[in-house]
Amino acid sequence: MTASATASATAAADAPAPQRRRTLLAVGLLLLLAVAAGITLYATRGRVPESPAAAAAIGTPEDGRPASHVGAAACKSCHEAEYRAWSGSNHDRAMQAANPQTVLGDFADAKFRQHGVESRFYRRGDRFFVRTEGPDGKPADYEISHTFGVYPLQQYLIAFPGGRYQALSIAWDARPKEQGGQRWFHLQPERRVAHDDPLHWTGNYQNWALQCAECHSTNLRKGYDAASNSYRTTYSEINVACEACHGQGSRHVEWARMARPPYPAQGDIGLPRLGSRWREAWKFPADGARVAVRDRPADPAGMNVCAPCHARRATLSEERRPGAVLEDSHRLAMLTAPNYHADGQQREEVYVWASFLQSRMQQSGVTCMDCHEPHSLRTRAAGNALCSRCHNAAEYDAPGHHRHVSGSKGAQCINCHMPTQNYMVIHARQDHSLRVPRPDLSLSLGTPNACNQCHVDRKPEWAASAMDRWYGRAWRDRPSYGPTLHAGATRGILALPDLLDLARNPAAPGIIRATAATLAQSHATPATLQTAGTLLADPDPLLRIAALGLLAAAPPATRSEAAAPLLSDPVRGVRIEAARVLADVPADRLGAERQQAHAAAMQEYRTALDLEADWPSGRLNLGILRLRQGRSDEALAAFEQAIALDPLFEPAYVNLADALRQLGRDAEGEGVLRRGLARMPRNADLHHALGLLLVRQGDQRAALKELSAAARLAPDNPRFLYVEAIALHGAGRRSEALALLRRADQRHPGNVDIIAALRSFADGAQ
C-alpha cells in the first residue's frame, strides 16, 4: 500500500491523448473562439474470503489439460530447502490474518494523536481493535482483520461493507527502538486528511483491493462489480507463495509423482524453468580483471517474474504467464515527472523495475537473482562483498576508487551508486538504476546526486570540484540521457530532434528510448511518423507501444496502415495499444484480414479498462474510448461514474464538459464545471475549461477572468499562458498580451503555439 495512495493511478492503461496543436495566425476574438472550441480530452491513469477460494484453472498446456493452483504445502516435500528459506520471509508474511502471532503493533490500550484525531489501540482476548475517526468524521471502534506487510512497517486492514478492506493510515514502525521504531506513526504526517477526502483511510484510495492486493496474495482476482460498486475478491493463498512466481503447480505435481532421478535438465516438467544460474554464470576472464563477465546467457524469464509487483504500472490482465514480459499483463510507467527526476532517478514511489532497466548492470546481463536469493529475499552477500562478486575488490573496494575511509559510510558501494529515499515515511528504498553520481547534472537539471544526499550541508559545486580532483574532468563527459529527457519535458518542439535520435538509438536502454518516444508524442511531424515506423518493428514491446503512441495524432488512413498489423502482436500490451490508437477507425476500413484481430484486441482493451473500473481514471478512460467510438451516452455515464468514485477528480469534470460541448450542450457543461469548482475552487484546469466555455458563449469579460485565474494558478502550464494572451489580445489589450507571450516564451522555449502567436501579434502591429 502506498502512502500517497495514487501509485496505480499515474501509470494508466490508457496514455493521455496528445494535445491538439494549431498554428494560429488570426488574432482577436475569432482566434480565441477557435481555441475555446477545442478543449482536448485527456486521460490519467490510476471481499476477502474467510478461507482461500478455489482457483479457477487458467492456462492450458499443449496437451490440453488445464493447470490449477495447489498451494505451497504441496511444494514442501520436494523443495524443502526453498520452502524453509521462504518461510518467515517478507513474501510469506505479505498479508496475514490478524492474531497474536502476526500482529506486531502495541495494542495494550496505546493512544496515538495526529492532526487533532486521537486513536486508541486495544485488545479483547485474541482480537485487535482501534477506535478512531470513521467515514462520517466521528470516532468509532473497528476490528483489525488482517496485517499487511511486516518490516520496516506493518499496516492493518479493517473490513467494510461491499467487500471492502480499508488500510488504516496509522501504521506500526517495526524497526528496533534504537532506530526510532516500536511506535505508531501516521503515513500522511504533513497534512490533515478530512473524513470526506478520498485519501482518508476509509476512502476509495485506501481500499485494499483497489490499491495493493494484487501483489500481496497469490492468484488474486479483484472481483469488482461496477454496478453495485462492490467486491468479491478471491485468492489461492493469502500471501506471496510459490505459485505467485512459478505459476499453477498441478501439472508439476503430477509430473513429480512419476519422475525418478536423475531428473532431466530439459523438457516439460509441468512448470516453466526459472533460475539465474548465478553461481556458474559470472566469471572473471583473467587474474586482475576489473569486472566479471557472464559466460552464458541470462534467463529473462527469471527476471520477468519479479517485474509485475516491483514496478510502477497499471494492470491489463489478471492472466499472468510466469516469465512472460511485463507488457503482456501490465502497462509500465515511463520515466517522466512527477514519478521520476529528469535523469530517471526515482522520485515518487516507483519501486525498482524501471530503475533497474536503465542500469548498465541490466544491459550487461545482471538479473535480480544474481543479487537476491528469491526465496528468502536476502542479498547473496553482505555489504560490499555483494558487489565484489562481479567487481574486483582490489580495484573498487579501495580508497583509490571510493575516496573515503575504508569501512566508513562513504566507502559502501550502495551509498554512492544506489542512494536511498524514504517512502511511507520510514521505508528507505535504494535506487536500482546503479548510476555514477553526477553533481554536475544537479546544477543543470536540478536532479539529486548521491554526494549531496550524504553531504547535505554542501552544494553540488563542491561535490563536482571534489570529483574533478579525484578523477580528472573526464567523468563529466560520461553519456547521460538526462539532458535530452529534461529538454523533452521543458523545451517543447525544440527538443524533438534529440528525442527522436534517442528513441532510435539501439545502444540506449529500452526504457530510456521508450520514454523519449513518449515525450515526443505531443509533437506530431513527418519526422515522428518516420520514427514510429522504425520503432514499430523493434523487438522490445516497450518501444512498439511507444511507437503506436507516436501515431495517435496521425490521420485515420495513416494509423490504419501502420498500426493494424500490431493488432496481432504476440504481446497483449502492444495489441491493446494498437486497439486504443485505432478506436475511432471503423473495422471495415482495416480490411477483412484484420477485422477479427481488431475485435479481439478491442475486447482485451475493454477487459483492461474493466479491471480499472474501480479507479476514477479507469472510468475516465472508458469514457474517452466510448466518445471516440461515437457512443456518447455511454461516455457521459462513464465520466459521471468517475466523479462519483472521486468527487475531487478534476479530469472527469473537464472531459464531461467537453463531451457535452461536442454534443451541442454547452449550458450543461457549464453546470458540470461550476460543480467541480465548488469542490475545487483553486483548480487551474477547471478555471481554464470554464473560461473557454464562456468564450464560446460570448462573455469575454467573464472568460478572461477565468483564463487569467488558470494561468495564475498553474504558471508552469504553457497552454494556459498562451490562451490567456489570446484572450487579452481579443479584449484589445495587445501590449499586455505581447508581454505575457514574451515571458511565456522565455519560460517555455520551443512552444509552437506561443511562437506562432508572438509572430502573429508582431505582424499585426506593423
Side-chain angles (χ1 to χ4, degrees):
M1 180 71 74
T2 64
S4 65
T6 56
S8 297
T10 57
D14 194 14
Q19 196 175 37
R20 296 192 185 112
R21 297 205 154 272
R22 303 173 185 82
T23 303
L24 300 174
L25 300 179
V27 295
L29 182 57
L30 289 177
L31 181 56
L32 184 55
L33 282 167
V35 176
I39 304 174
T40 300
L41 295 178
Y42 65 100
T44 63
R45 135 74 135 95
R47 170 174 81 112
V48 181
E50 292 301 319
S51 59
I58 61 172
T60 302
E62 292 180 1
D63 62 10
R65 291 179 296 116
S68 59
H69 287 78
V70 296
C75 308
K76 181 179 180 182
S77 59
C78 292
H79 303 281
E80 186 174 356
E82 290 81 2
Y83 186 92
R84 188 167 57 249
W86 167 80
S87 298
S89 69
N90 283 1
H91 278 176
D92 179 22
R93 297 187 289 170
M95 180 172 170
Q96 304 173 96
N99 59 53
Q101 288 72 47
T102 61
V103 172
L104 303 180
D106 178 8
F107 281 80
D109 203 31
K111 292 183 175 62
F112 176 81
R113 188 174 183 84
Q114 182 93 22
H115 304 309
V117 176
E118 182 173 273
S119 302
R120 182 170 71 92
F121 298 86
Y122 63 97
R123 289 179 63 167
R124 292 177 184 165
D126 287 346
R127 298 164 65 194
F128 298 82
F129 296 84
V130 60
R131 182 172 180 79
T132 191
E133 179 185 66
D136 58 358
K138 299 177 181 178
D141 295 278
Y142 300 95
E143 182 173 3
I144 306 299
S145 65
H146 295 82
T147 66
F148 209 70
V150 63
Y151 191 86
L153 68 151
Q154 186 174 71
Q155 289 183 268
Y156 299 96
L157 302 182
I158 293 168
F160 273 72
R164 283 173 167 74
Y165 279 72
Q166 298 295 130
L168 194 66
S169 292
I170 304 168
W172 178 253
D173 187 338
R175 299 174 302 168
K177 194 166 187 176
E178 58 270 21
Q179 294 180 18
Q182 302 301 297
R183 64 185 177 103
W184 293 104
F185 71 101
H186 203 284
L187 289 166
Q188 300 179 67
E190 301 301 324
R191 70 182 186 97
R192 166 84 164 98
V193 180
H195 65 89
D196 57 352
D197 190 316
L199 287 175
H200 190 261
W201 78 269
T202 61
N204 193 52
Y205 295 124
Q206 300 296 348
N207 174 1
W208 164 79
L210 171 94
Q211 187 72 272
C212 41
E214 180 183 353
C215 288
H216 279 251
S217 298
T218 299
N219 186 35
L220 186 121
R221 296 293 187 267
K222 187 192 290 187
Y224 177 68
D225 178 63
S228 61
N229 191 24
S230 63
Y231 296 84
R232 293 185 62 85
T233 307
T234 63
Y235 47 69
S236 294
E237 291 180 274
I238 193 173
N239 51 10
V240 181
C242 309
E243 291 163 294
C245 299
H246 293 279
Q248 304 98 317
S250 62
R251 292 186 65 247
H252 180 65
V253 170
E254 292 175 15
W255 172 87
R257 288 197 189 104
M258 305 297 295
R260 297 291 181 270
Y263 301 115
Q266 304 294 330
D268 182 12
I269 61 172
L271 277 179
R273 295 176 182 268
L274 305 175
S276 70
R277 302 187 303 276
W278 66 275
R279 286 186 185 277
E280 64 271 19
W282 291 98
K283 307 288 184 185
F284 285 95
D287 289 343
R290 299 178 69 207
V291 181
V293 295
R294 185 180 278 276
D295 65 357
R296 65 200 64 211
D299 179 9
M303 280 276 288
N304 292 337
V305 297
C306 306
C309 289
H310 292 274
R312 181 89 168 223
R313 80 293 182 278
T315 303
L316 301 178
S317 173
E318 292 178 329
E319 310 301 326
R320 294 198 320 213
R321 295 180 293 120
V325 294
L326 175 67
E327 291 74 25
D328 198 53
S329 57
H330 295 82
R331 177 75 176 258
L332 182 65
M334 294 292 98
L335 308 176
T336 53
N339 294 334
Y340 294 89
H341 291 285
D343 60 352
Q345 291 186 72
Q346 64 184 10
R347 185 175 182 180
E348 299 296 326
E349 191 172 19
V350 294
Y351 313 102
V352 301
W353 181 250
S355 296
F356 187 60
L357 290 182
Q358 303 172 52
S359 70
R360 292 182 66 187
M361 303 295 104
Q362 195 271 340
Q363 287 186 288
S364 299
V366 176
T367 71
C368 306
M369 288 183 283
D370 286 334
C371 298
H372 300 272
E373 201 288 316
H375 300 100
S376 68
L377 310 183
R378 298 188 183 97
T379 55
R380 296 195 182 274
N384 288 356
L386 179 65
C387 305
S388 62
R389 291 166 57 250
C390 290
H391 296 264
N392 191 322
E395 178 78 22
Y396 292 101
D397 192 9
H401 174 72
H402 55 63
R403 303 289 175 159
H404 290 76
V405 175
S406 294
S408 68
K409 183 178 178 181
Q412 298 300 304
C413 305
I414 60 173
N415 288 337
C416 289
H417 300 291
M418 301 180 71
T420 63
Q421 180 166 322
N422 273 13
Y423 301 100
M424 305 184 78
V425 183
I426 64 167
H427 195 177
R429 300 182 196 167
Q430 272 134 353
D431 190 323
H432 277 60
S433 56
L434 296 131
R435 63 185 68 233
V436 172
R438 291 296 299 267
D440 58 325
L441 294 182
S442 297
L443 293 170
S444 59
L445 306 182
T447 51
N449 71 86
C451 305
N452 294 112
Q453 286 176 273
C454 279
H455 299 278
V456 294
D457 59 334
R458 301 283 193 164
K459 301 292 185 184
E461 294 91 337
W462 168 85
S465 295
M467 291 182 67
D468 287 342
R469 292 195 305 274
W470 295 341
Y471 310 116
R473 294 181 63 87
W475 65 273
R476 295 174 180 258
D477 298 326
R478 292 175 66 100
S480 172
Y481 310 112
T484 298
L485 298 182
H486 180 262
T490 60
R491 293 185 58 79
I493 201 169
L494 295 179
L496 184 60
D498 287 342
L499 288 174
L500 297 180
D501 284 346
L502 180 53
R504 293 188 297 260
N505 181 2
I511 183 68
I512 296 287
R513 299 173 63 200
T515 298
T518 299
L519 289 169
Q521 287 173 2
S522 60
H523 307 298
T525 68
T528 58
L529 294 179
Q530 183 179 7
T531 297
T534 301
L535 299 183
L536 287 172
D538 197 278
D540 188 338
L542 271 180
L543 270 298
R544 301 200 295 278
I545 291 170
L548 286 164
L550 286 170
L551 294 172
T558 302
R559 279 184 282 137
S560 299
E561 181 179 358
L566 278 78
L567 292 167
S568 302
D569 193 275
V571 176
R572 189 194 324 259
V574 180
R575 298 193 297 270
I576 286 175
E577 181 66 358
R580 186 191 72 83
V581 167
L582 296 172
D584 60 343
V585 178
D588 57 10
R589 294 189 185 178
L590 300 176
E593 71 281 4
R594 300 288 184 197
Q595 291 185 29
Q596 185 175 355
H598 178 267
M602 186 58 69
Q603 182 55 50
E604 289 181 311
Y605 182 25
R606 178 57 201 267
T607 298
L609 292 176
D610 286 345
L611 278 176
E612 299 281 288
D614 49 350
W615 280 98
S617 52
R619 295 290 88 186
L620 177 75
N621 289 333
L622 176 62
I624 293 171
L625 170 64
R626 291 312 189 209
L627 198 63
R628 292 181 66 200
Q629 294 175 324
R631 297 159 67 170
S632 302
D633 289 345
E634 293 177 52
L636 299 179
F639 295 142
E640 286 286 10
Q641 289 164 1
I643 293 172
L645 287 171
D646 181 359
L648 301 181
F649 187 58
E650 52 84 12
Y653 294 94
V654 174
N655 281 272
L656 176 56
D658 195 64
L660 290 167
R661 173 192 65 80
Q662 295 181 44
L663 297 171
R665 296 157 59 180
D666 248 348
E668 294 175 61
E670 181 178 357
V672 169
L673 295 173
R674 293 195 184 279
R675 184 178 10 141
L677 282 167
R679 287 185 172 272
M680 297 168 281
R682 294 185 56 79
N683 186 279
D685 292 284
L686 292 173
H687 281 289
H688 182 74
L690 180 58
L692 295 180
L693 184 148
L694 292 170
V695 169
R696 294 192 296 273
Q697 293 180 346
D699 192 344
Q700 263 191 287
R701 180 173 297 181
L704 181 56
K705 178 182 177 182
E706 297 296 332
L707 296 173
S708 297
R712 183 179 67 255
L713 291 167
D716 290 329
N717 188 316
R719 180 71 176 173
F720 293 173
L721 297 172
Y722 160 72
V723 174
E724 182 190 11
I726 299 298
L728 285 168
H729 194 278
R733 296 158 64 176
R734 188 181 65 82
S735 60
E736 292 177 64
L738 276 169
L740 176 59
L741 285 172
R742 291 185 182 114
R743 293 195 302 272
D745 186 48
Q746 290 179 343
R747 189 164 191 166
H748 305 283
N751 184 280
V752 172
D753 291 334
I754 292 171
I755 293 170
L758 268 172
R759 290 175 178 171
S760 176
F761 292 175
D763 290 344
Q766 294 176 358

